[in-house]
Amino acid sequence: MNRQQIAGTLAEVATLLELRGDNPFRVRAYANAARIVESLQEDLATLAAENRLTEIKGIGTDLAAKIAEMLTTDRLRFHDELKASFPPGLLDLLRIPGFGPKKTKAVYDQLQVDSLEKLEAACQAGRVAKLAGFGEKSQQKILEGIALLRQFSGRHHYHTAVAAAEPVLEALRSHDGVIRCSVAGSLRRCRETIGDVDFLVSAKPVDAPGIIADFVGMAGVRAVSAQGETKASVVLAGGIQADLRVVSDEQFAFALNYFTGSKEHNIAMRSRALKLKNLSLNEYGFSPAAEKEKSAKELGSSIPCRTEEEIYAALDLEYVPPELREDMGELAGTLPQLIVKENLRGVFHVHSTWSDGVESIEAMANAARDLGLEYIGISDHSKGQRQANGLDETRLRQQAVEVKKLNAKFANQDFRIFFGTEVDILPDGTLDFDDATLAQCDFVIAAVHSSFTLPVDAQTERICRALANPKVTMLAHPTGRLLLEREGYAVNMPEVIAAAAEHRKIIEINAHPYRLDMDWRLWKRAKELGVKCSINSDAHSIEDYQYLAIGAAIARKGWLEKNDVINCLPLKEIEKVLKRG
DNA sequence: GCCGTTTTCGGCCCGACTGTTTTCAGTCG
């Protein structure tokens, strides 16, 4: 088992123990261990071989033995036994928002409910409301929760889909018969959530069956849903559906364009082809509109195009990057020079061991410098975040001293650490630190971490109030929409964006996996109002810097250019922006 | 189950919110 699998198993043991009603502190020990293993920088196998697992804080003799068992036998007997003692569908109930282990245990013990379907039926029959501790309202919320789960089941975060797609693409690329290959669909367009992952390959017809066979036989494939001559569908481990299409190399550009979509963009392209050139366009090529029965599939494209650029050129268009293909005005007028991750010169919203990060400030700084960045902004949590070891006023002052010392070290290396804080926005819109305390910071990130269920108006009002505070520089993770399978906080984002415009505040683009940032349409709105953004990593470890690339992808989706993103500025200029606040 | 010790067992983060209660339990971050 690798690190992630071990962490996942430990986390599931914690859940199962909780379901069994075990000692809550034992449960926490497993949950802690899962988190520790997940973010561990050192190699687990090495630590185990050297008998040093118990040196990790939070891992005692028992957990060390269990980790060692997973490393050597690829399973954990304790986990197997625990899992076998519950019906397989029971864990699904925990995915309902607001439905935890105690409630799961209650419906299981008293109503023999052990699946989402049975729970739904029990609610509809009014049996759940009659249980002690439940009522009409909880029964209604459960039904809504199940509906929400259904709506998003089968959709995956962009991150998850990218991680699943990469090894598949690698395998396809290394296949002898494959001439060109690419991802297509919503993944290529960098949508926040992805339904299924589409792959496109060009090859000679004679090679197609071999490519298809290798695809369905790949290591990560859990099930094969369809397999034909030029097309196959599989379910990857993790439950992501993946489709492969094999076309000839002459068709590749047209097929790539067609399968990248969006559907709306394709419609706009086809109607432009008809209107402008009297040609119909499909996944095989252009063909004269009059010759419907003899399509491009049999005759080849009447305008051969080797690349997508040539297709757009054939329609007198400049190349449209996949991120912009949503029929949101991309075929009319000049397109922006979209940002790429190489444009980033620094990163804000970086955590350290002062709160809940796993690395020292110096280690985070060095790693950022190694990536070619010129500055980082350290912003650990404020005192209200006790569970994250948030800093109080005293520790914040001490941290300021450390940052000053480190900056002296970096002075002749053209690198700088900006000193900041990620301060909580309290329910009334005030902040977790007073103005005098915030005054010592180079920048202040305001964030919501509690009271997620305030009414929309109150939620919006408190965020806008925080943005009106002159000490605040930027707003963290503006989750303005439903998260996958879970309710985010409901906010009137257009109002928040307007407030950011009025007070000249920066809104963060945060691509950390447990955040789903705001809808790309809202970023377009922000751009129109002149609101700047900052592409941050919310890094709690060095690995987390990888999310800058995904942040840049989100920015592209919102049509953002270098001028819209403050951390594209070099060190000398960013100081001025931060001072203005 | 871990930690830290007052070396052998007691303490382990906590506040807000919701829906159920009539003083609290469950869930969440």
Side-chain angles (χ1 to χ4, degrees), chain A residues 488-524:
Chain A
Y489 48 89
V491 184
N492 184 334
M493 279 312 294
E495 255 185 62
V496 169
I497 292 168
E502 182 189 345
H503 302 295
R504 298 171 75 205
K505 301 299 185 191
I506 295 150
I507 301 183
E508 163 184 280
I509 292 186
N510 181 341
H512 204 281
Y514 59 77
R515 308 282 179 208
L516 181 62
D517 249 294
M518 63 190 196
D519 192 303
W520 59 271
R521 290 177 186 85
L522 291 170
W523 283 115
K524 259 196 103 176

Side-chain angles (χ1 to χ4, degrees), chain A residues 234-446:
Chain A
V234 299
V235 180
L236 299 174
I240 300 183
Q241 171 97 25
D243 296 339
L244 170 68
R245 272 166 192 276
V246 184
V247 298
S248 73
D249 203 52
E250 293 72 37
Q251 294 166 346
F252 184 80
F254 294 103
L256 183 60
N257 194 243
Y258 181 87
F259 291 115
T260 297
S262 65
K263 202 165 85 187
E264 292 74 18
H265 177 83
N266 288 352
I267 291 169
M269 286 285 281
R270 290 198 293 261
S271 72
R272 186 180 173 94
L274 266 179
K275 215 183 282 173
L276 211 66
K277 308 276 172 183
N278 200 29
L279 290 172
S280 52
L281 171 66
N282 61 20
E283 64 262 54
Y284 305 107
F286 289 110
S287 48
E291 299 177 22
K292 283 230 168 86
E293 58 282 9
K294 288 182 219 158
S295 64
K297 188 178 182 181
E298 283 100 45
L299 298 175
S301 179
S302 55
I303 308 175
C305 297
R306 201 183 134 64
T307 63
E308 281 191 314
E309 280 82 351
E310 292 172 22
I311 299 175
Y312 287 98
L315 297 176
D316 303 337
L317 290 166
E318 63 174 304
Y319 175 72
V320 179
E323 291 89 338
L324 305 191
R325 299 181 195 169
E326 303 286 351
D327 192 25
M328 291 284 284
E330 67 271 18
L331 297 188
T334 322
L335 294 173
Q337 283 292 311
L338 296 181
I339 187 168
V340 292
K341 79 169 197 299
E342 286 73 21
N343 295 139
L344 299 180
R345 311 286 284 268
V347 53
F348 295 96
H349 200 158
V350 174
H351 292 275
S352 74
T353 44
W354 281 79
S355 66
D356 58 352
V358 300
E359 293 284 356
S360 67
I361 298 176
E362 187 169 14
M364 294 305 283
N366 281 327
R369 207 193 40 187
D370 291 346
L371 287 171
L373 299 177
E374 299 168 34
Y375 51 90
I376 62 169
I378 287 285
S379 53
D380 275 307
H381 289 288
S382 62
K383 58 182 191 262
Q385 290 298 298
R386 284 168 184 276
Q387 81 289 350
N389 192 24
L391 281 68
D392 60 14
E393 287 80 356
T394 310
R395 288 181 65 221
L396 191 75
R397 275 197 301 276
Q398 293 165 349
Q399 196 186 26
V401 173
E402 178 175 329
V403 169
K404 207 167 181 181
K405 276 187 198 156
L406 287 169
N407 272 329
K409 249 181 167 176
F410 284 120
N412 53 3
Q413 301 178 39
D414 291 328
F415 186 86
R416 162 111 191 248
I417 303 169
F418 290 104
F419 177 60
T421 176
E422 180 181 6
V423 65
D424 271 21
I425 301 174
L426 302 175
D428 64 354
T430 59
L431 302 176
D432 200 22
F433 284 135
D434 60 28
D435 285 357
T437 305
L438 294 175
Q440 63 190 311
C441 295
D442 297 320
F443 69 102
V444 171
I445 304 184

Side-chain angles (χ1 to χ4, degrees), chain A residues 436-458:
Chain A
T437 305
L438 294 175
Q440 63 190 311
C441 295
D442 297 320
F443 69 102
V444 171
I445 304 184
V448 168
H449 288 119
S450 61
S451 308
F452 295 94
T453 48
L454 284 180
V456 174
D457 289 348

Side-chain angles (χ1 to χ4, degrees), chain A residues 57-178:
Chain A
K57 194 170 151 55
I59 308 291
T61 46
D62 188 280
L63 280 167
K66 289 194 164 79
I67 292 171
E69 183 188 340
M70 286 186 266
L71 284 168
T72 50
T73 68
D74 268 351
R75 54 193 281 262
L76 181 64
R77 272 169 306 159
F78 181 51
H79 174 247
D80 293 344
E81 290 159 16
L82 213 47
K83 210 172 168 178
S85 66
F86 291 104
L90 203 62
L91 285 179
D92 288 344
L93 303 192
L94 294 169
R95 293 163 57 215
I96 302 169
F99 204 84
K102 296 280 159 54
K103 290 185 176 175
T104 300
K105 194 164 159 33
V107 296
Y108 178 49
D109 289 345
Q110 297 172 54
L111 298 174
Q112 290 77 52
V113 159
D114 60 7
S115 68
L116 283 173
E117 290 71 26
K118 284 187 193 169
L119 181 59
E120 188 175 33
C123 285
Q124 280 159 351
R127 289 191 290 145
V128 172
K130 294 201 181 78
L131 295 180
F134 290 78
E136 281 297 333
K137 257 192 164 163
S138 5
Q139 185 167 270
Q140 195 50 40
K141 275 197 79 176
I142 293 169
L143 285 172
E144 286 165 13
I146 293 176
L148 193 73
L149 273 183
R150 294 239 170 87
Q151 188 186 342
F152 284 117
S153 73
R155 289 202 77 79
H156 308 272
H157 270 137
Y158 177 75
H159 312 82
T160 319
V162 167
E166 266 169 3
V168 177
L169 202 58
E170 203 49 51
L172 288 171
R173 229 177 245 135
S174 65
H175 197 285
D176 279 345
V178 169

